[in-house]
mmCIF file of all heavy atoms in Angstrom:
data_model
loop_
_atom_site.group_PDB
_atom_site.id
_atom_site.type_symbol
_atom_site.label_atom_id
_atom_site.label_comp_id
_atom_site.label_asym_id
_atom_site.label_seq_id
_atom_site.Cartn_x
_atom_site.Cartn_y
_atom_site.Cartn_z
ATOM 1 N N TRP A 50 39.040 37.803 71.799
ATOM 2 C CA TRP A 50 39.116 38.826 72.857
ATOM 3 C C TRP A 50 40.386 38.716 73.634
ATOM 4 O O TRP A 50 41.063 39.728 73.847
ATOM 5 C CB TRP A 50 37.890 38.869 73.743
ATOM 6 C CG TRP A 50 38.161 39.635 75.015
ATOM 7 C CD1 TRP A 50 38.060 39.260 76.252
ATOM 8 C CD2 TRP A 50 38.541 41.001 75.086
ATOM 9 N NE1 TRP A 50 38.461 40.198 77.154
ATOM 10 C CE2 TRP A 50 38.736 41.288 76.410
ATOM 11 C CE3 TRP A 50 38.819 41.993 74.122
ATOM 12 C CZ2 TRP A 50 39.154 42.575 76.862
ATOM 13 C CZ3 TRP A 50 39.237 43.268 74.600
ATOM 14 C CH2 TRP A 50 39.383 43.515 75.928
ATOM 15 N N PRO A 51 40.848 37.520 74.113
ATOM 16 C CA PRO A 51 42.088 37.475 74.893
ATOM 17 C C PRO A 51 43.269 38.026 74.059
ATOM 18 O O PRO A 51 44.148 38.730 74.624
ATOM 19 C CB PRO A 51 42.263 36.007 75.174
ATOM 20 C CG PRO A 51 40.827 35.471 75.227
ATOM 21 C CD PRO A 51 40.161 36.265 74.143
ATOM 22 N N ALA A 52 43.323 37.747 72.785
ATOM 23 C CA ALA A 52 44.435 38.280 71.964
ATOM 24 C C ALA A 52 44.375 39.780 71.854
ATOM 25 O O ALA A 52 45.368 40.458 72.006
ATOM 26 C CB ALA A 52 44.342 37.662 70.543
ATOM 27 N N TRP A 53 43.177 40.347 71.655
ATOM 28 C CA TRP A 53 43.029 41.799 71.504
ATOM 29 C C TRP A 53 43.334 42.475 72.829
ATOM 30 O O TRP A 53 43.875 43.576 72.905
ATOM 31 C CB TRP A 53 41.694 42.191 70.965
ATOM 32 C CG TRP A 53 41.690 42.012 69.485
ATOM 33 C CD1 TRP A 53 41.231 40.894 68.777
ATOM 34 C CD2 TRP A 53 42.081 42.934 68.494
ATOM 35 N NE1 TRP A 53 41.416 41.097 67.445
ATOM 36 C CE2 TRP A 53 41.969 42.349 67.227
ATOM 37 C CE3 TRP A 53 42.630 44.254 68.543
ATOM 38 C CZ2 TRP A 53 42.218 43.006 66.018
ATOM 39 C CZ3 TRP A 53 42.916 44.895 67.325
ATOM 40 C CH2 TRP A 53 42.788 44.276 66.151
ATOM 41 N N ARG A 54 42.950 41.828 73.953
ATOM 42 C CA ARG A 54 43.290 42.385 75.264
ATOM 43 C C ARG A 54 44.812 42.411 75.484
ATOM 44 O O ARG A 54 45.382 43.415 75.914
ATOM 45 C CB ARG A 54 42.677 41.491 76.380
ATOM 46 C CG ARG A 54 42.975 42.024 77.798
ATOM 47 C CD ARG A 54 42.376 41.220 78.906
ATOM 48 N NE ARG A 54 42.939 39.884 78.827
ATOM 49 C CZ ARG A 54 42.222 38.726 78.887
ATOM 50 N NH1 ARG A 54 40.961 38.762 79.048
ATOM 51 N NH2 ARG A 54 42.854 37.566 78.786
ATOM 52 N N THR A 55 45.490 41.391 75.001
ATOM 53 C CA THR A 55 46.973 41.394 75.079
ATOM 54 C C THR A 55 47.548 42.500 74.197
ATOM 55 O O THR A 55 48.490 43.182 74.620
ATOM 56 C CB THR A 55 47.530 40.002 74.620
ATOM 57 O OG1 THR A 55 47.053 39.016 75.540
ATOM 58 C CG2 THR A 55 49.056 39.982 74.596
ATOM 59 N N PHE A 56 46.994 42.686 72.997
ATOM 60 C CA PHE A 56 47.481 43.752 72.139
ATOM 61 C C PHE A 56 47.362 45.118 72.824
ATOM 62 O O PHE A 56 48.267 45.949 72.789
ATOM 63 C CB PHE A 56 46.741 43.820 70.807
ATOM 64 C CG PHE A 56 46.849 42.537 70.031
ATOM 65 C CD1 PHE A 56 45.799 42.180 69.184
ATOM 66 C CD2 PHE A 56 47.978 41.759 70.037
ATOM 67 C CE1 PHE A 56 45.835 40.995 68.445
ATOM 68 C CE2 PHE A 56 48.051 40.571 69.267
ATOM 69 C CZ PHE A 56 46.985 40.213 68.464
ATOM 70 N N ARG A 57 46.220 45.311 73.504
ATOM 71 C CA ARG A 57 45.978 46.558 74.225
ATOM 72 C C ARG A 57 46.946 46.730 75.370
ATOM 73 O O ARG A 57 47.510 47.818 75.604
ATOM 74 C CB ARG A 57 44.501 46.571 74.714
ATOM 75 C CG ARG A 57 44.134 47.791 75.454
ATOM 76 C CD ARG A 57 43.978 48.964 74.503
ATOM 77 N NE ARG A 57 43.266 50.073 75.186
ATOM 78 C CZ ARG A 57 42.358 50.823 74.599
ATOM 79 N NH1 ARG A 57 42.066 50.679 73.339
ATOM 80 N NH2 ARG A 57 41.744 51.739 75.279
ATOM 81 N N GLU A 58 47.231 45.619 76.081
ATOM 82 C CA GLU A 58 48.204 45.662 77.191
ATOM 83 C C GLU A 58 49.588 46.005 76.663
ATOM 84 O O GLU A 58 50.319 46.798 77.291
ATOM 85 C CB GLU A 58 48.207 44.360 77.940
ATOM 86 C CG GLU A 58 46.952 44.103 78.746
ATOM 87 C CD GLU A 58 46.855 42.701 79.308
ATOM 88 O OE1 GLU A 58 47.761 41.861 79.009
ATOM 89 O OE2 GLU A 58 45.872 42.361 79.955
ATOM 90 N N MET A 59 49.964 45.451 75.520
ATOM 91 C CA MET A 59 51.272 45.755 74.943
ATOM 92 C C MET A 59 51.371 47.233 74.570
ATOM 93 O O MET A 59 52.387 47.867 74.749
ATOM 94 C CB MET A 59 51.511 44.876 73.731
ATOM 95 C CG MET A 59 51.633 43.385 73.985
ATOM 96 S SD MET A 59 53.031 42.966 75.066
ATOM 97 C CE MET A 59 52.131 42.539 76.516
ATOM 98 N N ARG A 60 50.309 47.753 74.078
ATOM 99 C CA ARG A 60 50.275 49.209 73.707
ATOM 100 C C ARG A 60 50.483 50.064 74.949
ATOM 101 O O ARG A 60 51.201 51.003 74.914
ATOM 102 C CB ARG A 60 48.871 49.543 73.037
ATOM 103 C CG ARG A 60 48.722 50.998 72.781
ATOM 104 C CD ARG A 60 47.215 51.277 72.621
ATOM 105 N NE ARG A 60 46.874 52.644 72.804
ATOM 106 C CZ ARG A 60 46.602 53.186 74.019
ATOM 107 N NH1 ARG A 60 46.711 52.531 75.122
ATOM 108 N NH2 ARG A 60 46.301 54.442 74.110
ATOM 109 N N ASN A 61 49.764 49.645 76.029
ATOM 110 C CA ASN A 61 49.946 50.396 77.285
ATOM 111 C C ASN A 61 51.337 50.342 77.847
ATOM 112 O O ASN A 61 51.868 51.292 78.375
ATOM 113 C CB ASN A 61 48.882 49.919 78.285
ATOM 114 C CG ASN A 61 47.506 50.327 77.858
ATOM 115 O OD1 ASN A 61 47.271 51.214 77.046
ATOM 116 N ND2 ASN A 61 46.496 49.606 78.396
ATOM 117 N N ILE A 62 51.931 49.168 77.730
ATOM 118 C CA ILE A 62 53.301 48.967 78.212
ATOM 119 C C ILE A 62 54.225 49.962 77.529
ATOM 120 O O ILE A 62 55.076 50.633 78.122
ATOM 121 C CB ILE A 62 53.803 47.549 78.043
ATOM 122 C CG1 ILE A 62 53.120 46.604 79.068
ATOM 123 C CG2 ILE A 62 55.327 47.437 78.191
ATOM 124 C CD1 ILE A 62 53.380 45.159 78.817
ATOM 125 N N THR A 63 54.131 50.044 76.213
ATOM 126 C CA THR A 63 54.992 50.907 75.433
ATOM 127 C C THR A 63 54.786 52.418 75.700
ATOM 128 O O THR A 63 55.667 53.254 75.555
ATOM 129 C CB THR A 63 54.922 50.624 73.899
ATOM 130 O OG1 THR A 63 53.589 50.930 73.483
ATOM 131 C CG2 THR A 63 55.314 49.236 73.574
ATOM 132 N N SER A 64 53.593 52.710 76.134
ATOM 133 C CA SER A 64 53.253 54.104 76.392
ATOM 134 C C SER A 64 53.817 54.605 77.689
ATOM 135 O O SER A 64 53.953 55.824 77.947
ATOM 136 C CB SER A 64 51.754 54.291 76.432
ATOM 137 O OG SER A 64 51.172 53.951 75.180
ATOM 138 N N HIS A 65 54.168 53.679 78.638
ATOM 139 C CA HIS A 65 54.516 54.102 79.976
ATOM 140 C C HIS A 65 55.859 53.626 80.510
ATOM 141 O O HIS A 65 56.130 53.767 81.690
ATOM 142 C CB HIS A 65 53.427 53.639 80.923
ATOM 143 C CG HIS A 65 52.035 54.134 80.553
ATOM 144 N ND1 HIS A 65 51.697 55.460 80.626
ATOM 145 C CD2 HIS A 65 50.980 53.483 80.082
ATOM 146 C CE1 HIS A 65 50.478 55.614 80.194
ATOM 147 N NE2 HIS A 65 50.015 54.409 79.866
ATOM 148 N N THR A 66 56.677 53.028 79.635
ATOM 149 C CA THR A 66 57.970 52.516 80.119
ATOM 150 C C THR A 66 59.007 52.545 79.049
ATOM 151 O O THR A 66 58.687 52.507 77.823
ATOM 152 C CB THR A 66 57.787 51.115 80.724
ATOM 153 O OG1 THR A 66 59.030 50.712 81.305
ATOM 154 C CG2 THR A 66 57.479 50.086 79.648
ATOM 155 N N TYR A 67 60.233 52.483 79.461
ATOM 156 C CA TYR A 67 61.348 52.403 78.507
ATOM 157 C C TYR A 67 62.237 51.232 78.903
ATOM 158 O O TYR A 67 63.435 51.211 78.599
ATOM 159 C CB TYR A 67 62.154 53.731 78.535
ATOM 160 C CG TYR A 67 61.306 54.872 78.062
ATOM 161 C CD1 TYR A 67 60.669 55.702 78.983
ATOM 162 C CD2 TYR A 67 61.105 55.066 76.721
ATOM 163 C CE1 TYR A 67 59.925 56.791 78.537
ATOM 164 C CE2 TYR A 67 60.295 56.148 76.239
ATOM 165 C CZ TYR A 67 59.700 56.972 77.174
ATOM 166 O OH TYR A 67 58.937 58.005 76.739
ATOM 167 N N ASP A 68 61.682 50.216 79.476
ATOM 168 C CA ASP A 68 62.382 49.021 79.948
ATOM 169 C C ASP A 68 62.654 48.141 78.729
ATOM 170 O O ASP A 68 61.704 47.785 78.010
ATOM 171 C CB ASP A 68 61.520 48.310 80.971
ATOM 172 C CG ASP A 68 62.155 47.108 81.517
ATOM 173 O OD1 ASP A 68 62.001 46.048 80.889
ATOM 174 O OD2 ASP A 68 62.797 47.148 82.540
ATOM 175 N N GLU A 69 63.916 47.713 78.541
ATOM 176 C CA GLU A 69 64.297 46.900 77.415
ATOM 177 C C GLU A 69 63.545 45.534 77.399
ATOM 178 O O GLU A 69 63.122 45.092 76.301
ATOM 179 C CB GLU A 69 65.787 46.640 77.384
ATOM 180 C CG GLU A 69 66.236 45.858 76.159
ATOM 181 C CD GLU A 69 67.731 45.671 76.085
ATOM 182 O OE1 GLU A 69 68.460 46.176 76.941
ATOM 183 O OE2 GLU A 69 68.137 44.958 75.149
ATOM 184 N N ALA A 70 63.445 44.898 78.528
ATOM 185 C CA ALA A 70 62.738 43.611 78.584
ATOM 186 C C ALA A 70 61.281 43.742 78.151
ATOM 187 O O ALA A 70 60.754 42.915 77.433
ATOM 188 C CB ALA A 70 62.854 42.983 80.004
ATOM 189 N N LYS A 71 60.677 44.807 78.570
ATOM 190 C CA LYS A 71 59.261 45.038 78.177
ATOM 191 C C LYS A 71 59.173 45.325 76.711
ATOM 192 O O LYS A 71 58.240 44.957 76.021
ATOM 193 C CB LYS A 71 58.620 46.094 79.061
ATOM 194 C CG LYS A 71 58.372 45.634 80.510
ATOM 195 C CD LYS A 71 57.679 46.656 81.279
ATOM 196 C CE LYS A 71 57.478 46.145 82.686
ATOM 197 N NZ LYS A 71 56.743 47.132 83.534
ATOM 198 N N ALA A 72 60.118 46.091 76.196
ATOM 199 C CA ALA A 72 60.154 46.449 74.780
ATOM 200 C C ALA A 72 60.261 45.141 73.933
ATOM 201 O O ALA A 72 59.616 44.970 72.927
ATOM 202 C CB ALA A 72 61.276 47.385 74.467
ATOM 203 N N LEU A 73 61.118 44.204 74.371
ATOM 204 C CA LEU A 73 61.247 42.947 73.664
ATOM 205 C C LEU A 73 59.972 42.145 73.730
ATOM 206 O O LEU A 73 59.541 41.474 72.768
ATOM 207 C CB LEU A 73 62.430 42.167 74.302
ATOM 208 C CG LEU A 73 63.828 42.778 73.986
ATOM 209 C CD1 LEU A 73 64.850 42.059 74.802
ATOM 210 C CD2 LEU A 73 64.117 42.813 72.521
ATOM 211 N N GLN A 74 59.292 42.166 74.889
ATOM 212 C CA GLN A 74 58.009 41.486 75.049
ATOM 213 C C GLN A 74 56.958 42.043 74.045
ATOM 214 O O GLN A 74 56.264 41.293 73.403
ATOM 215 C CB GLN A 74 57.529 41.672 76.438
ATOM 216 C CG GLN A 74 56.143 41.032 76.763
ATOM 217 C CD GLN A 74 55.655 41.429 78.171
ATOM 218 O OE1 GLN A 74 56.259 42.202 78.892
ATOM 219 N NE2 GLN A 74 54.535 40.776 78.532
ATOM 220 N N VAL A 75 56.959 43.350 73.935
ATOM 221 C CA VAL A 75 56.028 43.980 73.024
ATOM 222 C C VAL A 75 56.401 43.619 71.545
ATOM 223 O O VAL A 75 55.480 43.320 70.750
ATOM 224 C CB VAL A 75 56.036 45.518 73.211
ATOM 225 C CG1 VAL A 75 55.228 46.229 72.076
ATOM 226 C CG2 VAL A 75 55.419 45.891 74.582
ATOM 227 N N ALA A 76 57.656 43.650 71.255
ATOM 228 C CA ALA A 76 58.100 43.356 69.866
ATOM 229 C C ALA A 76 57.695 41.884 69.514
ATOM 230 O O ALA A 76 57.347 41.657 68.343
ATOM 231 C CB ALA A 76 59.615 43.473 69.784
ATOM 232 N N GLU A 77 57.662 40.998 70.457
ATOM 233 C CA GLU A 77 57.253 39.596 70.201
ATOM 234 C C GLU A 77 55.790 39.519 69.834
ATOM 235 O O GLU A 77 55.377 38.581 69.115
ATOM 236 C CB GLU A 77 57.615 38.719 71.367
ATOM 237 C CG GLU A 77 59.041 38.462 71.567
ATOM 238 C CD GLU A 77 59.374 37.632 72.798
ATOM 239 O OE1 GLU A 77 58.442 37.078 73.449
ATOM 240 O OE2 GLU A 77 60.587 37.520 73.142
ATOM 241 N N ALA A 78 54.992 40.432 70.316
ATOM 242 C CA ALA A 78 53.548 40.400 70.098
ATOM 243 C C ALA A 78 53.203 41.034 68.737
ATOM 244 O O ALA A 78 52.065 40.855 68.259
ATOM 245 C CB ALA A 78 52.837 41.191 71.222
ATOM 246 N N ILE A 79 54.111 41.743 68.133
ATOM 247 C CA ILE A 79 53.781 42.412 66.884
ATOM 248 C C ILE A 79 53.293 41.553 65.736
ATOM 249 O O ILE A 79 52.283 41.864 65.098
ATOM 250 C CB ILE A 79 54.984 43.328 66.434
ATOM 251 C CG1 ILE A 79 55.170 44.460 67.383
ATOM 252 C CG2 ILE A 79 54.777 43.833 65.027
ATOM 253 C CD1 ILE A 79 56.404 45.300 67.219
ATOM 254 N N PRO A 80 53.929 40.427 65.472
ATOM 255 C CA PRO A 80 53.399 39.570 64.391
ATOM 256 C C PRO A 80 51.958 39.123 64.572
ATOM 257 O O PRO A 80 51.144 39.112 63.617
ATOM 258 C CB PRO A 80 54.338 38.357 64.362
ATOM 259 C CG PRO A 80 55.637 38.917 64.920
ATOM 260 C CD PRO A 80 55.194 39.845 65.987
ATOM 261 N N GLY A 81 51.554 38.763 65.792
ATOM 262 C CA GLY A 81 50.192 38.443 66.057
ATOM 263 C C GLY A 81 49.250 39.559 65.863
ATOM 264 O O GLY A 81 48.167 39.388 65.282
ATOM 265 N N PHE A 82 49.706 40.734 66.316
ATOM 266 C CA PHE A 82 48.799 41.943 66.106
ATOM 267 C C PHE A 82 48.671 42.254 64.624
ATOM 268 O O PHE A 82 47.551 42.577 64.188
ATOM 269 C CB PHE A 82 49.390 43.127 66.881
ATOM 270 C CG PHE A 82 48.678 44.409 66.550
ATOM 271 C CD1 PHE A 82 47.367 44.609 67.057
ATOM 272 C CD2 PHE A 82 49.225 45.342 65.783
ATOM 273 C CE1 PHE A 82 46.649 45.752 66.706
ATOM 274 C CE2 PHE A 82 48.521 46.535 65.410
ATOM 275 C CZ PHE A 82 47.220 46.731 65.950
ATOM 276 N N LEU A 83 49.775 42.191 63.909
ATOM 277 C CA LEU A 83 49.727 42.488 62.489
ATOM 278 C C LEU A 83 48.732 41.569 61.786
ATOM 279 O O LEU A 83 47.967 42.064 60.964
ATOM 280 C CB LEU A 83 51.148 42.391 61.887
ATOM 281 C CG LEU A 83 51.282 42.777 60.448
ATOM 282 C CD1 LEU A 83 50.832 44.171 60.143
ATOM 283 C CD2 LEU A 83 52.723 42.551 59.977
ATOM 284 N N ALA A 84 48.816 40.308 62.087
ATOM 285 C CA ALA A 84 47.901 39.362 61.436
ATOM 286 C C ALA A 84 46.465 39.688 61.771
ATOM 287 O O ALA A 84 45.578 39.671 60.910
ATOM 288 C CB ALA A 84 48.263 37.955 61.823
ATOM 289 N N ALA A 85 46.156 39.959 63.042
ATOM 290 C CA ALA A 85 44.817 40.263 63.464
ATOM 291 C C ALA A 85 44.353 41.609 62.881
ATOM 292 O O ALA A 85 43.231 41.722 62.477
ATOM 293 C CB ALA A 85 44.721 40.309 64.995
ATOM 294 N N ALA A 86 45.234 42.579 62.756
ATOM 295 C CA ALA A 86 44.867 43.875 62.195
ATOM 296 C C ALA A 86 44.599 43.745 60.740
ATOM 297 O O ALA A 86 43.630 44.325 60.185
ATOM 298 C CB ALA A 86 45.981 44.891 62.441
ATOM 299 N N ARG A 87 45.385 42.991 60.052
ATOM 300 C CA ARG A 87 45.085 42.733 58.611
ATOM 301 C C ARG A 87 43.834 41.992 58.362
ATOM 302 O O ARG A 87 43.047 42.284 57.430
ATOM 303 C CB ARG A 87 46.210 41.947 57.991
ATOM 304 C CG ARG A 87 47.488 42.758 57.771
ATOM 305 C CD ARG A 87 48.589 41.911 57.128
ATOM 306 N NE ARG A 87 49.693 42.784 56.722
ATOM 307 C CZ ARG A 87 50.918 42.349 56.625
ATOM 308 N NH1 ARG A 87 51.251 41.081 56.873
ATOM 309 N NH2 ARG A 87 51.903 43.182 56.294
ATOM 310 N N ASP A 88 43.529 41.070 59.231
ATOM 311 C CA ASP A 88 42.224 40.378 59.155
ATOM 312 C C ASP A 88 40.996 41.333 59.391
ATOM 313 O O ASP A 88 40.078 41.330 58.608
ATOM 314 C CB ASP A 88 42.176 39.208 60.139
ATOM 315 C CG ASP A 88 40.877 38.482 60.144
ATOM 316 O OD1 ASP A 88 40.603 37.794 59.081
ATOM 317 O OD2 ASP A 88 40.044 38.572 61.061
ATOM 318 N N LEU A 89 41.182 42.182 60.411
ATOM 319 C CA LEU A 89 40.150 43.181 60.625
ATOM 320 C C LEU A 89 40.000 44.078 59.454
ATOM 321 O O LEU A 89 38.901 44.360 58.998
ATOM 322 C CB LEU A 89 40.527 43.983 61.888
ATOM 323 C CG LEU A 89 39.611 45.179 62.232
ATOM 324 C CD1 LEU A 89 38.155 44.755 62.424
ATOM 325 C CD2 LEU A 89 40.126 45.902 63.456
ATOM 326 N N LEU A 90 41.088 44.598 58.911
ATOM 327 C CA LEU A 90 41.001 45.466 57.721
ATOM 328 C C LEU A 90 40.294 44.807 56.591
ATOM 329 O O LEU A 90 39.460 45.406 55.970
ATOM 330 C CB LEU A 90 42.455 45.918 57.345
ATOM 331 C CG LEU A 90 42.480 46.796 56.077
ATOM 332 C CD1 LEU A 90 41.681 48.115 56.280
ATOM 333 C CD2 LEU A 90 43.887 47.035 55.699
#
Side-chain angles (χ1 to χ4, degrees):
W50 165 239
W53 281 93
R54 181 182 59 226
T55 299
F56 302 148
R57 181 71 165 220
E58 289 169 0
M59 295 297 109
R60 174 199 159 275
N61 291 340
I62 287 171
T63 61
S64 298
H65 304 294
T66 188
Y67 297 97
D68 181 274
E69 182 178 358
K71 289 183 180 180
L73 292 171
Q74 177 186 7
V75 170
E77 289 176 9
I79 291 172
F82 172 72
L83 183 58
R87 283 181 173 154
D88 180 69
L89 173 59
L90 177 60

